[in-house]
Amino acid sequence: MDCIFCKIVDGAIPARKEYEDGLCLAFHDVNPQAPTHLLVIPRQHLVSLAHVEPEHAALLGHLMQVSADLAKKLGLTNGFRVVLNSGADGGQTVDHLHVHLLGGRAMHWPPG
Ligand code: 5GP
Ligand code: ZN
């Protein structure tokens, strides 16, 4: 399978890792959209939020918990945003589920 995030999980492509455990990996986005921009991804290949099943609920909860822990660790005390782009209209460009953790500046609403 030709998945860039699976290659990062496998170590075939380097990434600036901030955290990893048995279920997930967090690394800095190569094209950051905020002073802090991490991607939190499951080690397991899941295409998107549109592809999850009830059996993945605990894994999704873990990604949220890790995102919150990283926001705290990185000092995002003034707030932060988590985003899951899903599918073409959602703006997803890498088809391996990932949580964007953005912080260090004020975000706008609605998103573009
Ligand atoms: P999406 O558009 O699918 O929601 O987000 C994909 C993100 O992955 C983008 O923000 C993009 O900058 C990031 N990205 C794509 N390729 C790489 C890579 O090889 N390394 C890292 N660190 N980030 C990547
Ligand atoms: Zn993958």
PDB file of all heavy atoms in Angstrom, residues 4-5 8 13-15 27-31 37 39 85 91-94 98 100, ligand 1:
ATOM      1  N   ILE A   4       1.631   7.409   2.681  1.00  0.00           N
ATOM      2  CA  ILE A   4       2.756   8.173   3.235  1.00  0.00           C
ATOM      3  C   ILE A   4       2.783   8.105   4.762  1.00  0.00           C
ATOM      4  O   ILE A   4       3.868   8.047   5.366  1.00  0.00           O
ATOM      5  CB  ILE A   4       2.688   9.627   2.707  1.00  0.00           C
ATOM      6  CG1 ILE A   4       4.012  10.325   2.873  1.00  0.00           C
ATOM      7  CG2 ILE A   4       1.579  10.415   3.323  1.00  0.00           C
ATOM      8  CD1 ILE A   4       4.163  11.523   1.970  1.00  0.00           C
ATOM      9  N   PHE A   5       1.613   8.082   5.411  1.00  0.00           N
ATOM     10  CA  PHE A   5       1.608   8.044   6.882  1.00  0.00           C
ATOM     11  C   PHE A   5       1.963   6.646   7.394  1.00  0.00           C
ATOM     12  O   PHE A   5       2.586   6.523   8.457  1.00  0.00           O
ATOM     13  CB  PHE A   5       0.279   8.541   7.436  1.00  0.00           C
ATOM     14  CG  PHE A   5       0.108  10.054   7.340  1.00  0.00           C
ATOM     15  CD1 PHE A   5      -1.063  10.656   7.766  1.00  0.00           C
ATOM     16  CD2 PHE A   5       1.111  10.868   6.839  1.00  0.00           C
ATOM     17  CE1 PHE A   5      -1.230  12.041   7.686  1.00  0.00           C
ATOM     18  CE2 PHE A   5       0.956  12.251   6.750  1.00  0.00           C
ATOM     19  CZ  PHE A   5      -0.220  12.838   7.175  1.00  0.00           C
ATOM     20  N   ILE A   8       5.591   6.686   7.473  1.00  0.00           N
ATOM     21  CA  ILE A   8       6.107   7.385   8.665  1.00  0.00           C
ATOM     22  C   ILE A   8       6.016   6.467   9.882  1.00  0.00           C
ATOM     23  O   ILE A   8       6.957   6.385  10.687  1.00  0.00           O
ATOM     24  CB  ILE A   8       5.352   8.721   8.872  1.00  0.00           C
ATOM     25  CG1 ILE A   8       5.807   9.729   7.796  1.00  0.00           C
ATOM     26  CG2 ILE A   8       5.586   9.277  10.276  1.00  0.00           C
ATOM     27  CD1 ILE A   8       5.075  11.055   7.798  1.00  0.00           C
ATOM     28  N   ILE A  13       9.858   6.898   6.086  1.00  0.00           N
ATOM     29  CA  ILE A  13       9.920   8.342   5.821  1.00  0.00           C
ATOM     30  C   ILE A  13      10.121   9.022   7.170  1.00  0.00           C
ATOM     31  O   ILE A  13       9.402   8.711   8.133  1.00  0.00           O
ATOM     32  CB  ILE A  13       8.626   8.851   5.150  1.00  0.00           C
ATOM     33  CG1 ILE A  13       8.515   8.294   3.729  1.00  0.00           C
ATOM     34  CG2 ILE A  13       8.551  10.371   5.139  1.00  0.00           C
ATOM     35  CD1 ILE A  13       7.256   8.717   3.002  1.00  0.00           C
ATOM     36  N   PRO A  14      11.098   9.930   7.269  1.00  0.00           N
ATOM     37  CA  PRO A  14      11.345  10.570   8.558  1.00  0.00           C
ATOM     38  C   PRO A  14      10.263  11.600   8.911  1.00  0.00           C
ATOM     39  O   PRO A  14       9.616  12.164   8.022  1.00  0.00           O
ATOM     40  CB  PRO A  14      12.702  11.270   8.354  1.00  0.00           C
ATOM     41  CG  PRO A  14      12.817  11.474   6.882  1.00  0.00           C
ATOM     42  CD  PRO A  14      12.028  10.382   6.221  1.00  0.00           C
ATOM     43  N   ALA A  15      10.079  11.807  10.190  1.00  0.00           N
ATOM     44  CA  ALA A  15       9.157  12.836  10.670  1.00  0.00           C
ATOM     45  C   ALA A  15       9.677  13.338  12.006  1.00  0.00           C
ATOM     46  O   ALA A  15      10.396  12.617  12.715  1.00  0.00           O
ATOM     47  CB  ALA A  15       7.751  12.270  10.824  1.00  0.00           C
ATOM     48  N   PHE A  27       3.393  13.739  15.216  1.00  0.00           N
ATOM     49  CA  PHE A  27       4.570  14.377  14.619  1.00  0.00           C
ATOM     50  C   PHE A  27       4.164  15.729  14.049  1.00  0.00           C
ATOM     51  O   PHE A  27       2.976  16.002  13.815  1.00  0.00           O
ATOM     52  CB  PHE A  27       5.180  13.480  13.530  1.00  0.00           C
ATOM     53  CG  PHE A  27       4.215  13.007  12.473  1.00  0.00           C
ATOM     54  CD1 PHE A  27       4.040  13.742  11.296  1.00  0.00           C
ATOM     55  CD2 PHE A  27       3.473  11.864  12.649  1.00  0.00           C
ATOM     56  CE1 PHE A  27       3.156  13.316  10.325  1.00  0.00           C
ATOM     57  CE2 PHE A  27       2.579  11.432  11.679  1.00  0.00           C
ATOM     58  CZ  PHE A  27       2.425  12.156  10.511  1.00  0.00           C
ATOM     59  N   HIS A  28       5.159  16.573  13.814  1.00  0.00           N
ATOM     60  CA  HIS A  28       4.913  17.926  13.316  1.00  0.00           C
ATOM     61  C   HIS A  28       4.572  17.901  11.831  1.00  0.00           C
ATOM     62  O   HIS A  28       5.243  17.216  11.042  1.00  0.00           O
ATOM     63  CB  HIS A  28       6.128  18.815  13.581  1.00  0.00           C
ATOM     64  CG  HIS A  28       6.353  19.053  15.041  1.00  0.00           C
ATOM     65  ND1 HIS A  28       5.904  20.180  15.691  1.00  0.00           N
ATOM     66  CD2 HIS A  28       6.945  18.286  15.990  1.00  0.00           C
ATOM     67  CE1 HIS A  28       6.216  20.108  16.980  1.00  0.00           C
ATOM     68  NE2 HIS A  28       6.846  18.965  17.178  1.00  0.00           N
ATOM     69  N   ASP A  29       3.530  18.650  11.467  1.00  0.00           N
ATOM     70  CA  ASP A  29       3.128  18.750  10.067  1.00  0.00           C
ATOM     71  C   ASP A  29       4.251  19.430   9.268  1.00  0.00           C
ATOM     72  O   ASP A  29       4.856  20.403   9.717  1.00  0.00           O
ATOM     73  CB  ASP A  29       1.834  19.572   9.960  1.00  0.00           C
ATOM     74  CG  ASP A  29       1.143  19.393   8.611  1.00  0.00           C
ATOM     75  OD1 ASP A  29       1.719  19.818   7.582  1.00  0.00           O
ATOM     76  OD2 ASP A  29       0.028  18.852   8.589  1.00  0.00           O
ATOM     77  N   VAL A  30       4.522  18.908   8.087  1.00  0.00           N
ATOM     78  CA  VAL A  30       5.601  19.422   7.247  1.00  0.00           C
ATOM     79  C   VAL A  30       5.269  20.817   6.698  1.00  0.00           C
ATOM     80  O   VAL A  30       6.182  21.570   6.332  1.00  0.00           O
ATOM     81  CB  VAL A  30       5.894  18.417   6.108  1.00  0.00           C
ATOM     82  CG1 VAL A  30       4.870  18.498   4.994  1.00  0.00           C
ATOM     83  CG2 VAL A  30       7.301  18.566   5.578  1.00  0.00           C
ATOM     84  N   ASN A  31       3.994  21.165   6.694  1.00  0.00           N
ATOM     85  CA  ASN A  31       3.539  22.459   6.174  1.00  0.00           C
ATOM     86  C   ASN A  31       2.622  23.107   7.207  1.00  0.00           C
ATOM     87  O   ASN A  31       1.399  23.168   7.030  1.00  0.00           O
ATOM     88  CB  ASN A  31       2.811  22.245   4.839  1.00  0.00           C
ATOM     89  CG  ASN A  31       2.376  23.543   4.203  1.00  0.00           C
ATOM     90  OD1 ASN A  31       2.936  24.609   4.473  1.00  0.00           O
ATOM     91  ND2 ASN A  31       1.354  23.475   3.369  1.00  0.00           N
ATOM     92  N   HIS A  37       1.570  22.793  15.002  1.00  0.00           N
ATOM     93  CA  HIS A  37       0.700  22.021  14.121  1.00  0.00           C
ATOM     94  C   HIS A  37       1.203  20.579  14.109  1.00  0.00           C
ATOM     95  O   HIS A  37       2.175  20.254  13.428  1.00  0.00           O
ATOM     96  CB  HIS A  37       0.692  22.612  12.709  1.00  0.00           C
ATOM     97  CG  HIS A  37      -0.300  21.941  11.791  1.00  0.00           C
ATOM     98  ND1 HIS A  37      -0.567  22.425  10.529  1.00  0.00           N
ATOM     99  CD2 HIS A  37      -1.091  20.841  11.942  1.00  0.00           C
ATOM    100  CE1 HIS A  37      -1.477  21.644   9.946  1.00  0.00           C
ATOM    101  NE2 HIS A  37      -1.802  20.674  10.780  1.00  0.00           N
ATOM    102  N   LEU A  39       0.233  16.335  13.825  1.00  0.00           N
ATOM    103  CA  LEU A  39      -0.681  15.326  13.304  1.00  0.00           C
ATOM    104  C   LEU A  39      -0.618  14.128  14.240  1.00  0.00           C
ATOM    105  O   LEU A  39       0.481  13.654  14.555  1.00  0.00           O
ATOM    106  CB  LEU A  39      -0.277  14.904  11.887  1.00  0.00           C
ATOM    107  CG  LEU A  39      -0.243  16.041  10.856  1.00  0.00           C
ATOM    108  CD1 LEU A  39       0.395  15.564   9.562  1.00  0.00           C
ATOM    109  CD2 LEU A  39      -1.646  16.585  10.599  1.00  0.00           C
ATOM    110  N   ASN A  85     -10.142  16.307   8.892  1.00  0.00           N
ATOM    111  CA  ASN A  85     -10.669  16.456   7.539  1.00  0.00           C
ATOM    112  C   ASN A  85     -11.023  15.075   7.012  1.00  0.00           C
ATOM    113  O   ASN A  85     -10.232  14.136   7.133  1.00  0.00           O
ATOM    114  CB  ASN A  85      -9.629  17.117   6.631  1.00  0.00           C
ATOM    115  CG  ASN A  85      -9.311  18.540   7.062  1.00  0.00           C
ATOM    116  OD1 ASN A  85     -10.176  19.257   7.554  1.00  0.00           O
ATOM    117  ND2 ASN A  85      -8.057  18.950   6.885  1.00  0.00           N
ATOM    118  N   GLY A  91     -11.651  18.283   2.652  1.00  0.00           N
ATOM    119  CA  GLY A  91     -10.299  18.791   2.437  1.00  0.00           C
ATOM    120  C   GLY A  91      -9.213  17.797   2.778  1.00  0.00           C
ATOM    121  O   GLY A  91      -8.044  18.179   2.939  1.00  0.00           O
ATOM    122  N   GLN A  92      -9.552  16.504   2.859  1.00  0.00           N
ATOM    123  CA  GLN A  92      -8.547  15.490   3.191  1.00  0.00           C
ATOM    124  C   GLN A  92      -7.640  15.232   1.992  1.00  0.00           C
ATOM    125  O   GLN A  92      -8.135  15.001   0.882  1.00  0.00           O
ATOM    126  CB  GLN A  92      -9.239  14.184   3.611  1.00  0.00           C
ATOM    127  CG  GLN A  92      -8.268  13.118   4.082  1.00  0.00           C
ATOM    128  CD  GLN A  92      -8.982  11.876   4.635  1.00  0.00           C
ATOM    129  OE1 GLN A  92     -10.193  11.717   4.465  1.00  0.00           O
ATOM    130  NE2 GLN A  92      -8.227  11.013   5.285  1.00  0.00           N
ATOM    131  N   THR A  93      -6.330  15.286   2.225  1.00  0.00           N
ATOM    132  CA  THR A  93      -5.369  15.053   1.150  1.00  0.00           C
ATOM    133  C   THR A  93      -4.524  13.796   1.373  1.00  0.00           C
ATOM    134  O   THR A  93      -3.919  13.292   0.438  1.00  0.00           O
ATOM    135  CB  THR A  93      -4.414  16.249   0.974  1.00  0.00           C
ATOM    136  OG1 THR A  93      -3.706  16.467   2.200  1.00  0.00           O
ATOM    137  CG2 THR A  93      -5.186  17.510   0.601  1.00  0.00           C
ATOM    138  N   VAL A  94      -4.469  13.320   2.621  1.00  0.00           N
ATOM    139  CA  VAL A  94      -3.752  12.073   2.925  1.00  0.00           C
ATOM    140  C   VAL A  94      -4.776  11.082   3.477  1.00  0.00           C
ATOM    141  O   VAL A  94      -5.403  11.345   4.513  1.00  0.00           O
ATOM    142  CB  VAL A  94      -2.607  12.300   3.939  1.00  0.00           C
ATOM    143  CG1 VAL A  94      -1.949  10.971   4.294  1.00  0.00           C
ATOM    144  CG2 VAL A  94      -1.565  13.269   3.383  1.00  0.00           C
ATOM    145  N   HIS A  98      -6.135  11.134  10.428  1.00  0.00           N
ATOM    146  CA  HIS A  98      -5.226  11.919  11.261  1.00  0.00           C
ATOM    147  C   HIS A  98      -5.971  13.063  11.923  1.00  0.00           C
ATOM    148  O   HIS A  98      -6.890  13.643  11.348  1.00  0.00           O
ATOM    149  CB  HIS A  98      -4.056  12.476  10.440  1.00  0.00           C
ATOM    150  CG  HIS A  98      -4.461  13.143   9.154  1.00  0.00           C
ATOM    151  ND1 HIS A  98      -4.802  12.419   8.028  1.00  0.00           N
ATOM    152  CD2 HIS A  98      -4.596  14.431   8.829  1.00  0.00           C
ATOM    153  CE1 HIS A  98      -5.112  13.250   7.050  1.00  0.00           C
ATOM    154  NE2 HIS A  98      -5.012  14.487   7.510  1.00  0.00           N
ATOM    155  N   HIS A 100      -5.510  16.789  13.258  1.00  0.00           N
ATOM    156  CA  HIS A 100      -4.668  17.982  13.274  1.00  0.00           C
ATOM    157  C   HIS A 100      -4.821  18.629  14.657  1.00  0.00           C
ATOM    158  O   HIS A 100      -5.943  18.865  15.107  1.00  0.00           O
ATOM    159  CB  HIS A 100      -5.142  19.017  12.244  1.00  0.00           C
ATOM    160  CG  HIS A 100      -4.991  18.606  10.815  1.00  0.00           C
ATOM    161  ND1 HIS A 100      -3.918  18.995  10.040  1.00  0.00           N
ATOM    162  CD2 HIS A 100      -5.788  17.877  10.002  1.00  0.00           C
ATOM    163  CE1 HIS A 100      -4.072  18.516   8.805  1.00  0.00           C
ATOM    164  NE2 HIS A 100      -5.192  17.836   8.759  1.00  0.00           N
TER     165      HIS A 100
HETATM  166  P1  5GP B   1      -5.198  16.652   5.276  1.00  0.00           P
HETATM  167  O1  5GP B   1      -5.174  17.681   4.187  1.00  0.00           O
HETATM  168  O2  5GP B   1      -5.329  15.259   4.707  1.00  0.00           O
HETATM  169  O3  5GP B   1      -6.231  16.918   6.345  1.00  0.00           O
HETATM  170  O4  5GP B   1      -3.831  16.766   6.042  1.00  0.00           O
HETATM  171  C1  5GP B   1      -2.656  16.153   5.581  1.00  0.00           C
HETATM  172  C2  5GP B   1      -1.523  16.895   6.227  1.00  0.00           C
HETATM  173  O5  5GP B   1      -0.369  16.096   6.103  1.00  0.00           O
HETATM  174  C3  5GP B   1      -1.207  18.247   5.584  1.00  0.00           C
HETATM  175  O6  5GP B   1      -1.329  19.261   6.574  1.00  0.00           O
HETATM  176  C4  5GP B   1       0.222  18.076   5.071  1.00  0.00           C
HETATM  177  O7  5GP B   1       0.998  19.241   5.232  1.00  0.00           O
HETATM  178  C5  5GP B   1       0.731  16.935   5.921  1.00  0.00           C
HETATM  179  N1  5GP B   1       1.747  16.114   5.284  1.00  0.00           N
HETATM  180  C6  5GP B   1       1.685  15.578   4.027  1.00  0.00           C
HETATM  181  N2  5GP B   1       2.791  14.845   3.787  1.00  0.00           N
HETATM  182  C7  5GP B   1       3.552  14.911   4.911  1.00  0.00           C
HETATM  183  C8  5GP B   1       4.828  14.346   5.260  1.00  0.00           C
HETATM  184  O8  5GP B   1       5.478  13.625   4.484  1.00  0.00           O
HETATM  185  N3  5GP B   1       5.309  14.640   6.493  1.00  0.00           N
HETATM  186  C9  5GP B   1       4.609  15.419   7.379  1.00  0.00           C
HETATM  187  N4  5GP B   1       5.173  15.637   8.576  1.00  0.00           N
HETATM  188  N5  5GP B   1       3.407  15.963   7.069  1.00  0.00           N
HETATM  189  C10 5GP B   1       2.887  15.713   5.859  1.00  0.00           C
END
